[in-house]
Amino acid sequence: MTERARASIARLVDAGIPMVSQSVLLAGVNDNAAALEDLMRGFVECRIKPYYLHHGDLAPGTAHLRTTLADGQELMRKLRGRVSGLCQVDYVLDIPGGAGKSSVGPTYLEPQESLSREREVRQETRYRVADYCGEVHLYPPAP
């Protein structure tokens, strides 16, 4: 964060406006423990509470920016060992179809099955994700 950004944030916080962050986990940008640590510490230094770290949406043309859920979970484990509780962020998945956000920590996410799609060489893991109402959704959704 630039000094100008930090000064602007300070004016907002000093005016009594609570600040929380919503960031996206991006492959090649912030998908390593050191980058996430720096980002979360920077937020806390500016009096911004790390709030959500979003797993990348399934928007067309963005696959190159998405990490895997397993990689995101591993980063959260590493972050937990590097920073205090104040710097911890909630890693969430916005469930496709408008079902809302769900924390995708190990207790909320379990592998369902491996898919082998026609004309695709790689195997893709499907997950069962529980939303805030307890309803279970498959991620990624069935084609």
Side-chain angles (χ1 to χ4, degrees):
M1 284 182 243
T2 65
E3 285 307 313
R4 186 173 177 187
R6 287 176 182 264
S8 296
I9 292 166
R11 284 193 299 278
L12 291 169
V13 173
D14 290 345
I17 299 170
M19 302 284 284
V20 297
S21 72
Q22 292 201 39
S23 305
V24 179
L25 183 60
L26 299 170
V29 177
N30 62 357
D31 63 340
N32 65 73
L36 282 178
E37 177 182 358
D38 289 347
L39 181 60
M40 297 309 140
R41 286 184 189 277
F43 285 143
V44 171
E45 287 168 4
C46 290
R47 298 177 285 170
I48 298 172
K49 169 64 180 127
Y51 187 50
Y52 283 146
L53 179 64
H54 291 270
H55 182 76
D57 283 344
L58 296 174
T62 64
H64 67 288
L65 293 171
R66 276 193 303 278
T67 64
T68 66
L69 284 164
D71 287 346
Q73 289 176 319
E74 181 60 25
L75 283 170
M76 293 302 98
R77 281 186 209 86
K78 288 178 181 175
L79 191 63
R80 183 156 301 277
R82 297 172 72 105
V83 297
S84 73
L86 189 58
C87 289
Q88 297 300 319
V89 64
D90 192 11
Y91 182 44
V92 297
L93 171 70
D94 196 355
I95 303 168
K101 290 181 257 337
S102 182
S103 181
V104 287
T107 58
Y108 295 96
L109 186 71
E110 64 181 56
Q112 173 68 21
E113 61 187 66
S114 290
L115 301 176
S116 178
R117 294 192 177 133
E118 280 185 331
R119 293 179 253 193
E120 286 188 8
V121 176
R122 66 183 177 90
Q123 294 282 319
E124 185 171 0
T125 302
R126 178 167 280 166
Y127 294 89
R128 294 168 41 90
V129 183
D131 66 22
Y132 65 95
C133 297
E135 292 182 22
V136 176
H137 306 268
L138 292 180
Y139 178 85

PDB file of all heavy atoms in Angstrom, residues 46-66:
ATOM      1  N   CYS A  46      -2.869  -0.767   9.035  1.00  0.00           N
ATOM      2  CA  CYS A  46      -3.737   0.349   8.622  1.00  0.00           C
ATOM      3  C   CYS A  46      -5.077   0.347   9.355  1.00  0.00           C
ATOM      4  O   CYS A  46      -5.971   1.126   9.026  1.00  0.00           O
ATOM      5  CB  CYS A  46      -3.982   0.277   7.116  1.00  0.00           C
ATOM      6  SG  CYS A  46      -2.540   0.667   6.134  1.00  0.00           S
ATOM      7  N   ARG A  47      -5.222  -0.554  10.326  1.00  0.00           N
ATOM      8  CA  ARG A  47      -6.453  -0.686  11.123  1.00  0.00           C
ATOM      9  C   ARG A  47      -7.622  -1.203  10.277  1.00  0.00           C
ATOM     10  O   ARG A  47      -8.771  -0.844  10.480  1.00  0.00           O
ATOM     11  CB  ARG A  47      -6.803   0.623  11.824  1.00  0.00           C
ATOM     12  CG  ARG A  47      -5.728   1.051  12.809  1.00  0.00           C
ATOM     13  CD  ARG A  47      -6.034   2.372  13.431  1.00  0.00           C
ATOM     14  NE  ARG A  47      -5.781   3.443  12.454  1.00  0.00           N
ATOM     15  CZ  ARG A  47      -6.140   4.705  12.631  1.00  0.00           C
ATOM     16  NH1 ARG A  47      -6.773   5.074  13.713  1.00  0.00           N
ATOM     17  NH2 ARG A  47      -5.861   5.606  11.705  1.00  0.00           N
ATOM     18  N   ILE A  48      -7.298  -2.065   9.316  1.00  0.00           N
ATOM     19  CA  ILE A  48      -8.306  -2.761   8.510  1.00  0.00           C
ATOM     20  C   ILE A  48      -8.315  -4.215   8.967  1.00  0.00           C
ATOM     21  O   ILE A  48      -7.263  -4.862   8.997  1.00  0.00           O
ATOM     22  CB  ILE A  48      -7.966  -2.694   7.008  1.00  0.00           C
ATOM     23  CG1 ILE A  48      -7.947  -1.250   6.521  1.00  0.00           C
ATOM     24  CG2 ILE A  48      -8.930  -3.547   6.202  1.00  0.00           C
ATOM     25  CD1 ILE A  48      -7.423  -1.084   5.099  1.00  0.00           C
ATOM     26  N   LYS A  49      -9.471  -4.716   9.333  1.00  0.00           N
ATOM     27  CA  LYS A  49      -9.575  -6.116   9.759  1.00  0.00           C
ATOM     28  C   LYS A  49      -9.592  -7.026   8.539  1.00  0.00           C
ATOM     29  O   LYS A  49     -10.447  -6.905   7.667  1.00  0.00           O
ATOM     30  CB  LYS A  49     -10.867  -6.325  10.573  1.00  0.00           C
ATOM     31  CG  LYS A  49     -11.212  -7.780  10.853  1.00  0.00           C
ATOM     32  CD  LYS A  49     -10.188  -8.473  11.704  1.00  0.00           C
ATOM     33  CE  LYS A  49     -10.587  -9.929  11.949  1.00  0.00           C
ATOM     34  NZ  LYS A  49      -9.559 -10.874  11.615  1.00  0.00           N
ATOM     35  N   PRO A  50      -8.625  -7.955   8.411  1.00  0.00           N
ATOM     36  CA  PRO A  50      -8.730  -8.956   7.354  1.00  0.00           C
ATOM     37  C   PRO A  50     -10.032  -9.738   7.537  1.00  0.00           C
ATOM     38  O   PRO A  50     -10.306 -10.251   8.625  1.00  0.00           O
ATOM     39  CB  PRO A  50      -7.512  -9.857   7.582  1.00  0.00           C
ATOM     40  CG  PRO A  50      -6.525  -8.961   8.284  1.00  0.00           C
ATOM     41  CD  PRO A  50      -7.392  -8.099   9.177  1.00  0.00           C
ATOM     42  N   TYR A  51     -10.851  -9.778   6.521  1.00  0.00           N
ATOM     43  CA  TYR A  51     -12.192 -10.330   6.645  1.00  0.00           C
ATOM     44  C   TYR A  51     -12.361 -11.560   5.758  1.00  0.00           C
ATOM     45  O   TYR A  51     -12.394 -12.681   6.249  1.00  0.00           O
ATOM     46  CB  TYR A  51     -13.196  -9.227   6.307  1.00  0.00           C
ATOM     47  CG  TYR A  51     -14.645  -9.572   6.543  1.00  0.00           C
ATOM     48  CD1 TYR A  51     -15.074 -10.114   7.745  1.00  0.00           C
ATOM     49  CD2 TYR A  51     -15.596  -9.310   5.559  1.00  0.00           C
ATOM     50  CE1 TYR A  51     -16.413 -10.407   7.959  1.00  0.00           C
ATOM     51  CE2 TYR A  51     -16.935  -9.592   5.770  1.00  0.00           C
ATOM     52  CZ  TYR A  51     -17.340 -10.149   6.966  1.00  0.00           C
ATOM     53  OH  TYR A  51     -18.660 -10.437   7.173  1.00  0.00           O
ATOM     54  N   TYR A  52     -12.473 -11.353   4.447  1.00  0.00           N
ATOM     55  CA  TYR A  52     -12.627 -12.466   3.514  1.00  0.00           C
ATOM     56  C   TYR A  52     -11.439 -12.538   2.562  1.00  0.00           C
ATOM     57  O   TYR A  52     -10.975 -11.522   2.054  1.00  0.00           O
ATOM     58  CB  TYR A  52     -13.869 -12.293   2.635  1.00  0.00           C
ATOM     59  CG  TYR A  52     -15.187 -12.594   3.281  1.00  0.00           C
ATOM     60  CD1 TYR A  52     -16.313 -11.864   2.931  1.00  0.00           C
ATOM     61  CD2 TYR A  52     -15.338 -13.615   4.211  1.00  0.00           C
ATOM     62  CE1 TYR A  52     -17.552 -12.131   3.490  1.00  0.00           C
ATOM     63  CE2 TYR A  52     -16.574 -13.894   4.785  1.00  0.00           C
ATOM     64  CZ  TYR A  52     -17.670 -13.150   4.421  1.00  0.00           C
ATOM     65  OH  TYR A  52     -18.896 -13.418   4.969  1.00  0.00           O
ATOM     66  N   LEU A  53     -10.993 -13.754   2.311  1.00  0.00           N
ATOM     67  CA  LEU A  53     -10.114 -14.053   1.190  1.00  0.00           C
ATOM     68  C   LEU A  53     -10.927 -14.989   0.307  1.00  0.00           C
ATOM     69  O   LEU A  53     -11.210 -16.122   0.683  1.00  0.00           O
ATOM     70  CB  LEU A  53      -8.813 -14.721   1.639  1.00  0.00           C
ATOM     71  CG  LEU A  53      -7.846 -15.092   0.519  1.00  0.00           C
ATOM     72  CD1 LEU A  53      -7.344 -13.827  -0.196  1.00  0.00           C
ATOM     73  CD2 LEU A  53      -6.681 -15.902   1.049  1.00  0.00           C
ATOM     74  N   HIS A  54     -11.354 -14.473  -0.832  1.00  0.00           N
ATOM     75  CA  HIS A  54     -12.232 -15.227  -1.726  1.00  0.00           C
ATOM     76  C   HIS A  54     -11.434 -16.180  -2.605  1.00  0.00           C
ATOM     77  O   HIS A  54     -10.412 -15.805  -3.173  1.00  0.00           O
ATOM     78  CB  HIS A  54     -13.006 -14.276  -2.652  1.00  0.00           C
ATOM     79  CG  HIS A  54     -14.017 -13.458  -1.948  1.00  0.00           C
ATOM     80  ND1 HIS A  54     -15.308 -13.870  -1.782  1.00  0.00           N
ATOM     81  CD2 HIS A  54     -13.930 -12.242  -1.361  1.00  0.00           C
ATOM     82  CE1 HIS A  54     -15.983 -12.942  -1.131  1.00  0.00           C
ATOM     83  NE2 HIS A  54     -15.168 -11.945  -0.860  1.00  0.00           N
ATOM     84  N   HIS A  55     -11.935 -17.403  -2.746  1.00  0.00           N
ATOM     85  CA  HIS A  55     -11.427 -18.311  -3.769  1.00  0.00           C
ATOM     86  C   HIS A  55     -11.945 -17.769  -5.102  1.00  0.00           C
ATOM     87  O   HIS A  55     -13.078 -17.297  -5.186  1.00  0.00           O
ATOM     88  CB  HIS A  55     -11.946 -19.732  -3.519  1.00  0.00           C
ATOM     89  CG  HIS A  55     -11.432 -20.725  -4.508  1.00  0.00           C
ATOM     90  ND1 HIS A  55     -10.154 -21.210  -4.458  1.00  0.00           N
ATOM     91  CD2 HIS A  55     -12.025 -21.300  -5.587  1.00  0.00           C
ATOM     92  CE1 HIS A  55      -9.974 -22.046  -5.462  1.00  0.00           C
ATOM     93  NE2 HIS A  55     -11.099 -22.119  -6.160  1.00  0.00           N
ATOM     94  N   GLY A  56     -11.137 -17.836  -6.133  1.00  0.00           N
ATOM     95  CA  GLY A  56     -11.520 -17.277  -7.424  1.00  0.00           C
ATOM     96  C   GLY A  56     -12.807 -17.887  -7.970  1.00  0.00           C
ATOM     97  O   GLY A  56     -13.018 -19.095  -7.911  1.00  0.00           O
ATOM     98  N   ASP A  57     -13.680 -17.022  -8.481  1.00  0.00           N
ATOM     99  CA  ASP A  57     -14.935 -17.481  -9.092  1.00  0.00           C
ATOM    100  C   ASP A  57     -14.662 -18.252 -10.373  1.00  0.00           C
ATOM    101  O   ASP A  57     -13.602 -18.135 -10.975  1.00  0.00           O
ATOM    102  CB  ASP A  57     -15.840 -16.289  -9.415  1.00  0.00           C
ATOM    103  CG  ASP A  57     -16.537 -15.716  -8.201  1.00  0.00           C
ATOM    104  OD1 ASP A  57     -16.577 -16.393  -7.153  1.00  0.00           O
ATOM    105  OD2 ASP A  57     -17.036 -14.581  -8.291  1.00  0.00           O
ATOM    106  N   LEU A  58     -15.671 -18.965 -10.831  1.00  0.00           N
ATOM    107  CA  LEU A  58     -15.576 -19.729 -12.071  1.00  0.00           C
ATOM    108  C   LEU A  58     -15.941 -18.883 -13.292  1.00  0.00           C
ATOM    109  O   LEU A  58     -16.446 -19.401 -14.281  1.00  0.00           O
ATOM    110  CB  LEU A  58     -16.496 -20.962 -11.996  1.00  0.00           C
ATOM    111  CG  LEU A  58     -16.133 -21.993 -10.934  1.00  0.00           C
ATOM    112  CD1 LEU A  58     -17.202 -23.085 -10.850  1.00  0.00           C
ATOM    113  CD2 LEU A  58     -14.773 -22.599 -11.218  1.00  0.00           C
ATOM    114  N   ALA A  59     -15.680 -17.599 -13.235  1.00  0.00           N
ATOM    115  CA  ALA A  59     -16.001 -16.697 -14.347  1.00  0.00           C
ATOM    116  C   ALA A  59     -15.175 -17.079 -15.577  1.00  0.00           C
ATOM    117  O   ALA A  59     -13.987 -17.393 -15.458  1.00  0.00           O
ATOM    118  CB  ALA A  59     -15.713 -15.254 -13.954  1.00  0.00           C
ATOM    119  N   PRO A  60     -15.797 -17.061 -16.745  1.00  0.00           N
ATOM    120  CA  PRO A  60     -15.067 -17.400 -17.976  1.00  0.00           C
ATOM    121  C   PRO A  60     -13.833 -16.514 -18.157  1.00  0.00           C
ATOM    122  O   PRO A  60     -13.863 -15.319 -17.876  1.00  0.00           O
ATOM    123  CB  PRO A  60     -16.093 -17.133 -19.083  1.00  0.00           C
ATOM    124  CG  PRO A  60     -17.425 -17.210 -18.412  1.00  0.00           C
ATOM    125  CD  PRO A  60     -17.203 -16.723 -17.017  1.00  0.00           C
ATOM    126  N   GLY A  61     -12.753 -17.134 -18.603  1.00  0.00           N
ATOM    127  CA  GLY A  61     -11.525 -16.398 -18.883  1.00  0.00           C
ATOM    128  C   GLY A  61     -10.641 -16.135 -17.677  1.00  0.00           C
ATOM    129  O   GLY A  61      -9.626 -15.457 -17.801  1.00  0.00           O
ATOM    130  N   THR A  62     -11.017 -16.668 -16.508  1.00  0.00           N
ATOM    131  CA  THR A  62     -10.221 -16.395 -15.304  1.00  0.00           C
ATOM    132  C   THR A  62      -9.535 -17.631 -14.733  1.00  0.00           C
ATOM    133  O   THR A  62      -8.926 -17.553 -13.674  1.00  0.00           O
ATOM    134  CB  THR A  62     -11.098 -15.771 -14.195  1.00  0.00           C
ATOM    135  OG1 THR A  62     -12.101 -16.713 -13.796  1.00  0.00           O
ATOM    136  CG2 THR A  62     -11.745 -14.473 -14.659  1.00  0.00           C
ATOM    137  N   ALA A  63      -9.622 -18.751 -15.431  1.00  0.00           N
ATOM    138  CA  ALA A  63      -9.055 -20.009 -14.906  1.00  0.00           C
ATOM    139  C   ALA A  63      -7.568 -19.862 -14.574  1.00  0.00           C
ATOM    140  O   ALA A  63      -7.095 -20.448 -13.596  1.00  0.00           O
ATOM    141  CB  ALA A  63      -9.274 -21.142 -15.894  1.00  0.00           C
ATOM    142  N   HIS A  64      -6.840 -19.085 -15.356  1.00  0.00           N
ATOM    143  CA  HIS A  64      -5.407 -18.920 -15.120  1.00  0.00           C
ATOM    144  C   HIS A  64      -5.109 -18.173 -13.818  1.00  0.00           C
ATOM    145  O   HIS A  64      -3.980 -18.217 -13.318  1.00  0.00           O
ATOM    146  CB  HIS A  64      -4.750 -18.214 -16.310  1.00  0.00           C
ATOM    147  CG  HIS A  64      -5.187 -16.798 -16.481  1.00  0.00           C
ATOM    148  ND1 HIS A  64      -6.451 -16.460 -16.941  1.00  0.00           N
ATOM    149  CD2 HIS A  64      -4.539 -15.638 -16.227  1.00  0.00           C
ATOM    150  CE1 HIS A  64      -6.559 -15.138 -16.967  1.00  0.00           C
ATOM    151  NE2 HIS A  64      -5.418 -14.620 -16.551  1.00  0.00           N
ATOM    152  N   LEU A  65      -6.093 -17.515 -13.252  1.00  0.00           N
ATOM    153  CA  LEU A  65      -5.907 -16.781 -11.994  1.00  0.00           C
ATOM    154  C   LEU A  65      -6.336 -17.579 -10.763  1.00  0.00           C
ATOM    155  O   LEU A  65      -6.056 -17.169  -9.643  1.00  0.00           O
ATOM    156  CB  LEU A  65      -6.696 -15.466 -12.030  1.00  0.00           C
ATOM    157  CG  LEU A  65      -6.199 -14.439 -13.034  1.00  0.00           C
ATOM    158  CD1 LEU A  65      -7.181 -13.277 -13.128  1.00  0.00           C
ATOM    159  CD2 LEU A  65      -4.807 -13.954 -12.665  1.00  0.00           C
ATOM    160  N   ARG A  66      -7.030 -18.701 -10.988  1.00  0.00           N
ATOM    161  CA  ARG A  66      -7.519 -19.496  -9.862  1.00  0.00           C
ATOM    162  C   ARG A  66      -6.473 -20.478  -9.371  1.00  0.00           C
ATOM    163  O   ARG A  66      -5.787 -21.114 -10.149  1.00  0.00           O
ATOM    164  CB  ARG A  66      -8.771 -20.280 -10.253  1.00  0.00           C
ATOM    165  CG  ARG A  66     -10.042 -19.500 -10.150  1.00  0.00           C
ATOM    166  CD  ARG A  66     -11.270 -20.393 -10.241  1.00  0.00           C
ATOM    167  NE  ARG A  66     -11.325 -21.190 -11.452  1.00  0.00           N
ATOM    168  CZ  ARG A  66     -11.766 -20.755 -12.624  1.00  0.00           C
ATOM    169  NH1 ARG A  66     -12.188 -19.516 -12.765  1.00  0.00           N
ATOM    170  NH2 ARG A  66     -11.787 -21.559 -13.667  1.00  0.00           N
TER     171      ARG A  66
END
